[in-house]
């Protein structure tokens, strides 16, 4: 039987949430030096991937700086407007609003089309702010138990270069 401990986890949800926040913080720090930089990323419970045109040394410095800024109280770095959480929240809101509006409207084409339009509009109007709440309270956690170890070059499934920022749970 395998057991999970904080020192040697098989999967650590809190570490994943902290890595996700550190990924966002790192992107914020990199964006401060180059606002035109286009980056993508994804997190694991052992670190995070960054895809885009970035110098690996600057990436490591940015990750360490973001971690330092988090530990000094800059919790706003955990929420990023281009996070995939916002897309997921937008899709969920669209589904809920569509089902809700179309359940109460007459079953004729024009009212149903109107309901779909209201659902899409309402979801798109709320997705960013509800997504930010979801990031703050569900998908990220302030990284207080992480240490940046290294930045390793990686290739994605399309052969594009990216980097894995390895962290350790302390």
């Amino acid at each position: 039987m395998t057991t999970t401990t904080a020192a040697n986890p098989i999967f650590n949800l809190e570490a994943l949430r902290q890595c996700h926040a550190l990924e966002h913080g790192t992107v914020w720090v990199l964006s401060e030096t180059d606002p035109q930089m286009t980056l993508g990323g994804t997190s694991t419970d052992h670190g995070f991937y960054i895809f885009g045109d970035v110098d690996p040394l600057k990436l490591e410095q940015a990750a360490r700086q973001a971690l330092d800024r988090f530990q000094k109280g800059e919790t706003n770095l955990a929420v990023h407007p281009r996070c995939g959480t916002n897309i997921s929240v937008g899709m969920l809101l669209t589904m809920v609003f569509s089902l809700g509006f179309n359940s109460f409207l007459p079953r004729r084409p024009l009212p149903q089309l109107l309901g779909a339009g209201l659902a899409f509009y309402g979801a798109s109007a709320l997705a960013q702010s509800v997504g930010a709440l979801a990031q703050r309270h569900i998908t990220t956690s302030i990284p207080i138990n992480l240490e940046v170890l290294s930045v390793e070059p990686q290739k994605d499934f399309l052969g594009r270069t990216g980097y894995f920022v390895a962290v350790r749970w302390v």
Side-chain angles (χ1 to χ4, degrees), residues 86-169:
N86 294 354
I87 296 169
S88 298
V89 165
M91 290 189 300
L92 179 65
L93 287 173
T94 300
M95 180 191 71
V96 169
F97 289 174
S98 293
L99 291 173
F101 284 132
N102 291 333
S103 296
F104 295 106
L105 293 173
R107 298 281 180 233
R108 294 187 313 273
L110 188 57
Q112 290 293 305
L113 187 60
L114 178 64
L118 287 172
F120 294 137
Y121 176 76
S124 65
L126 292 174
Q128 193 80 10
S129 56
V130 175
L133 284 172
Q135 286 179 63
R136 186 170 307 284
H137 299 289
I138 300 170
T139 64
T140 67
S141 179
I142 304 307
I144 56 172
N145 296 347
L146 297 181
E147 174 183 38
V148 175
L149 295 177
S150 64
V151 173
E152 304 156 9
Q154 301 283 316
K155 297 267 187 200
D156 71 2
F157 65 95
L158 296 174
R160 296 175 297 194
T161 300
Y163 299 95
F164 182 71
V165 179
V167 300
R168 179 174 62 186
W169 180 262

Side-chain angles (χ1 to χ4, degrees), residues 55-67:
D55 178 89
L57 294 175
K58 288 183 180 178
L59 176 58
E60 184 171 357
Q61 289 171 346
R64 291 181 192 282
Q65 183 180 357
L67 188 57

Side-chain angles (χ1 to χ4, degrees), residues 7-31:
N8 188 16
I10 293 171
F11 174 76
N12 187 329
L13 181 59
E14 184 60 20
L16 172 64
R17 294 176 65 222
Q18 288 188 26
C19 286
H20 189 199
L22 185 55
E23 172 200 335
H24 287 180
T26 301
V27 170
W28 277 117
V29 170
L30 288 167
S31 298

